[in-house]
Amino acid sequence: MDRRPRKAGNWTLHLALIAAVLTAVIGMAASMAPGGLGDWDVARAIPLGVIVILMVLRLSVSTRPLGQMAKQLSVFVALGAVLIVGYSYRDDLNAILGRTMETVAPGHGTQVAPGVMRFEADDGGSFVVNATVNGTAVRFLVDTGASGIALSQRDARRLGFDDDKLDYNTPILTANGMTRAAQVTLRSITVGPLNGNDIKAWVNKGELDQSLLGMSYLSTLGRVEIRGHTLTLER
């Protein structure tokens, strides 16, 4: 039996479906762009290009009935809509993800803009910040009333400071009374995209449950703002 007419008919149907898909997807994407399709940049066109290529490849080799092809087509269109909408609202999604991470892992923070970090207060109203000090992760309690960074004995040991070689010659007043501290220099401290180098800190000789992030680091930033339950740090 000669199948060539049937094959030609299938290709005609495939091309018609591909043209319909291209028209629908591009029209939908253009309607979502504030200034129309002409305002798109290369980055926004990439998701659409990937979707179109996948649809063309899948439909070009399909020999299934029209009904099944229509179902497959609807899946591709739905996937394309999800990707385009997700890209359009990527900033909002990042903010939602950041807030979720703050709930699951306090101190994680959210980068809301280049050089801007935002932290949510914990249940006690305090702000916890995860930082990287000399390449080691350290969790700090933010204390804008502290003149410097106060390291607990545990964190000082983790950072490689030898207690026997530290000179505890600086008297300091803490919530538990007077104690002494040893001055050290932190080669680097990083909070998200916010970097600081050669920052002065003090190793607390007394009991300190958690290291404190004070003004010796915070003063290197361009903005430190506490509004309600939100702390904003900006380079």
Side-chain angles (χ1 to χ4, degrees):
M1 180 183 296
D2 188 358
R3 297 181 178 273
R4 285 177 296 179
R6 181 180 179 182
K7 184 176 181 180
N10 285 338
W11 272 106
T12 300
L13 177 60
H14 291 169
L15 292 174
L17 286 173
I18 291 171
V21 170
L22 288 173
T23 302
V25 174
I26 293 175
M28 177 180 62
S31 66
M32 293 180 179
L37 197 60
D39 288 343
W40 276 21
D41 55 23
V42 175
R44 291 176 179 172
I46 289 176
L48 177 60
V50 172
I51 296 167
V52 171
I53 291 173
L54 290 174
M55 287 189 295
V56 170
L57 291 177
R58 183 66 184 91
L59 293 175
S60 64
V61 299
S62 177
T63 57
R64 295 186 178 185
L66 181 60
Q68 294 184 11
M69 292 180 65
K71 291 181 180 179
Q72 293 177 357
L73 191 60
S74 64
V75 172
F76 278 115
V77 172
L79 177 60
V82 169
L83 291 176
I84 294 172
V85 172
Y87 185 85
S88 300
Y89 290 93
R90 62 193 181 280
D91 293 335
D92 295 329
L93 293 175
N94 285 336
I96 293 173
L97 178 61
R99 289 182 178 274
T100 302
M101 288 299 297
E102 277 294 298
T103 301
V104 176
H108 179 269
T110 304
Q111 183 174 349
V112 296
V116 182
M117 290 293 293
R118 184 170 294 166
F119 298 86
E120 298 297 325
D122 61 17
D123 293 338
S126 300
F127 295 99
V128 177
V129 171
N130 292 339
T132 302
V133 179
N134 296 352
T136 300
V138 177
R139 177 170 291 185
F140 287 99
L141 181 66
V142 176
D143 186 356
T144 57
S147 60
I149 293 175
L151 295 175
S152 66
Q153 290 281 312
R154 175 178 176 273
D155 285 337
R157 287 192 296 269
R158 293 176 58 243
L159 292 173
F161 293 110
D162 188 344
D163 187 67
D164 294 333
K165 296 180 180 180
L166 294 176
D167 186 6
Y168 293 95
N169 61 357
T170 304
I172 57 173
L173 179 63
T174 69
N176 296 323
M178 290 297 298
T179 186
R180 304 189 75 82
Q183 182 174 308
V184 296
T185 300
L186 307 179
R187 296 190 309 275
S188 65
I189 177 169
T190 302
V191 178
L194 311 176
N195 303 319
N197 298 311
D198 298 327
I199 304 296
K200 298 297 182 182
W202 283 262
V203 179
N204 196 313
K205 183 66 173 177
E207 295 183 1
L208 188 62
D209 294 334
Q210 190 167 15
S211 295
L212 304 179
L213 190 64
M215 294 306 296
S216 60
Y217 170 74
L218 297 176
S219 62
T220 66
L221 304 177
R223 179 167 69 104
V224 178
E225 180 182 77
I226 296 177
R227 180 173 296 180
H229 293 279
T230 302
L231 167 68
T232 302
L233 304 178
E234 184 174 357
R235 186 173 5 232

